[in-house]
């Protein structure tokens, strides 16, 4: 049994779904479970609908609903023509859009959207795409069966970024998905969406379909998880930032998860964890180039000093200066408890005799964090910073890579440096608007033939 997951661009239009069908067909002997994202751009459009409706711009919101309806129905018509599946799926899609329009109306009356109502709306993208893909597969002779992902992906109540309940998911996967696979069917589910114990719809956070695929794969002890996207695999840097980024054939789990959490959007940061526990290999392939060799993520990939770079902007730095307290027993614990209380995760930490600096990605709770931290010392905040991460399991085998990295940055200002405890990640804090330039300089240093 394998899990095959298709991202937004891989279900984005008729041609993409036709390619998906051929990829699934080529995997039938391996008993695939198909997980799909919403059609590319649909989740953004749905979130905009929720926000417009809540701000009372009902006409714009309904226009958004109708644009999505037209896109889905046109794609369904093109994919299904006169196939027997056409009528039923058109009715299901239409009913979902009617419900979406009613939700938008309700939000505009209420005048605000809660995380719960936003999830109810943004989850529709995967509900729609999974219905459409199921019908397209069965019209092409593949024994696909739609499974409502909210009946399998059981999560906490944290709307917008719900925590999967892995035992419940394992139980539901064994009860619902396994028998389907055993009788030769191909289950098709939406990624990203789930429900809490009461059956209320939740989502796993943006990009969460990868996470869904990995969770279902772990729940069923799949032989492999395949993430089908729009690039040839995991590359040495984000190809939108660095021209000439190269394909990585094999990468270690820990390296891939560091890259994902420092901005390599090709994988959701949590994807690897459920798979890694069970040693399930994860492959990344290009749905436009199914003959490609892709990237294999496993335990035992060769150890290289630098395997890839990642970068992100919009990072906030908090510095707490406390000459009196820093060395006192329990200070750091108290400091991190503040972040924990405000549900804010810390990415990079550096300490000196008199201060602690930490970076955060999510500044939603910044004001309250600053108030609480100021009980511990003088707090200063720097916004609009960026992080560049240099990742490689052999990074600390010699100091050469680190000195080359710093030399390559030349005149770029470095605000903070941190080597992860595991020694596989050197993070460099720069100005947010210099992340791309820093990535290009580092890439030229580590990945051009002359430098290799
Ligand atoms: P999907 O819709 O298939 O989930 P995403 O847009 O989430 O696709 O992720 C794929 C994108 O990730 C690529 O188009 C690429 O621009 C970006 N990306 C960022 N860093 C990397 C990297 N190191 N390797 C490959 N792709 C990357
Ligand atoms: N459709 C969701 C998003 O755009 C989840 C995903 O694609 O992974 O974030
Ligand atoms: Mg993605």
């Amino acid at each position: 049994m394998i899990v095959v997951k298709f991202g937004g661009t891989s279900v984005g239009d008729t041609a993409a779904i036709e390619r998906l069908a051929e990829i699934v067909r080529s995997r039938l002997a391996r008993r695939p479970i198909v997980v799909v994202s919403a059609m590319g751009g649909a989740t953004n459009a749905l979130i905009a609908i929720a926000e417009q409706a809540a701000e009372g711009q009902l006409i714009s919101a309904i226009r958004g609903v109708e644009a999505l309806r037209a896109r889905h129905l046109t794609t369904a018509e093109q994919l299904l023509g006169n196939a027997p599946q056409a009528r039923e799926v058109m009715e299901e899609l239409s009913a979902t859009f009617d419900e979406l329009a009613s939700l938008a109306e309700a939000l505009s009356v209420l005048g605000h959207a809660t995380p719960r109502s936003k999830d109810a709306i943004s989850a529709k993208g995967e509900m729609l795409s999974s219905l459409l893909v199921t019908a397209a597969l069965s019209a092409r002779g593949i024994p696909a069966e739609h499974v409502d992902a909210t009946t399998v992906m059981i999560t906490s109540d944290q709307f917008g970024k719900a925590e999967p309940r892995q035992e419940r998911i394992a139980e539901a996967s064994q009860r619902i998905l396994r028998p389907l696979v055993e009788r030769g069917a191909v289950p098709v589910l939406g990624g990203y969406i789930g429900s809490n114990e009461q059956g209320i719809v939740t989502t796993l956070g943006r990009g969460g379909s990868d996470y869904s695929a990995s969770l279902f794969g772990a729940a069923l002890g799949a032989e492999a998880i395949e993430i089908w996207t729009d690039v040839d695999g995991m590359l040495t840097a984000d190809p939108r930032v660095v021209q000439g980024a190269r394909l990585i054939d094999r990468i270690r789990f820990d390296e891939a998860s560091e890259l994902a959490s420092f901005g390599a959007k090709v994988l959701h940061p949590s994807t690897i964890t459920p798979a890694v526990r069970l040693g399930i290999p994860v492959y990344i392939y290009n749905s436009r180039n199914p003959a490609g060799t892709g990237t294999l993520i496993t335990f035992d990939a060769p150890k290289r000093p630098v395997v890839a770079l990642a970068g992100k902007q919009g990072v906030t730095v908090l510095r707490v200066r406390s000459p009196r307290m820093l060395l006192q027993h329990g200070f750091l614990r108290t400091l991190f408890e503040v972040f924990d209380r405000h549900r804010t995760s810390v990415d990079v930490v550096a300490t000196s005799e008199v201060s602690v600096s930490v970076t955060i990605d999510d500044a939603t709770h910044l004001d309250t964090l600053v108030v609480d931290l100021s009980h511990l010392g003088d707090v200063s905040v720097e916004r609009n910073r960026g992080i560049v991460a240099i990742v490689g399991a052999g990074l600390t085998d010699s100091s050469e890579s680190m000195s080359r990295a710093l030399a390559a940055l030349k005149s770029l200002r470095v605000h903070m440096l941190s080597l992860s405890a595991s020694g596989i990640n050197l993070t460099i804090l720069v100005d947010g608007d210099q992340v791309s330039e820093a990535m290009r300089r580092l890439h030229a240093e580590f990945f051009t033939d002359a430098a290799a």
Side-chain angles (χ1 to χ4, degrees), residues 5 7-8 37-38 43-44 126 192 205-210:
K5 176 262 171 176
S37 287
T43 310
N44 287 343
E126 273 71 8
Y192 172 63
R206 297 306 305 270
S209 292
D210 299 330

Side-chain angles (χ1 to χ4, degrees), residues 24-48:
V24 173
R25 194 191 305 285
S26 71
R27 263 67 184 163
L28 283 178
R30 304 188 64 197
R31 305 197 296 168
I33 291 168
V34 179
V35 177
V36 293
S37 287
M39 293 179 88
T43 310
N44 287 343
L46 289 163
I47 292 170

Side-chain angles (χ1 to χ4, degrees), residues 216-228:
F216 296 140
L220 292 163
E223 287 149 41
I225 295 163
E226 298 182 352
I227 309 280
W228 289 85

Side-chain angles (χ1 to χ4, degrees), residues 149-190:
T150 65
T151 61
V152 189
M153 179 61 70
I154 309 300
T155 72
S156 72
D157 281 335
Q158 221 183 307
F159 296 102
K161 206 171 184 11
E163 293 286 339
R165 297 251 196 269
Q166 300 205 22
E167 280 180 16
R168 300 274 285 110
I169 297 164
E171 181 279 317
S173 301
Q174 296 294 351
R175 179 168 43 82
I176 299 170
L177 299 176
R178 185 173 292 282
L180 286 174
V181 176
E182 278 173 358
R183 69 169 161 76
V186 176
V188 180
L189 304 93

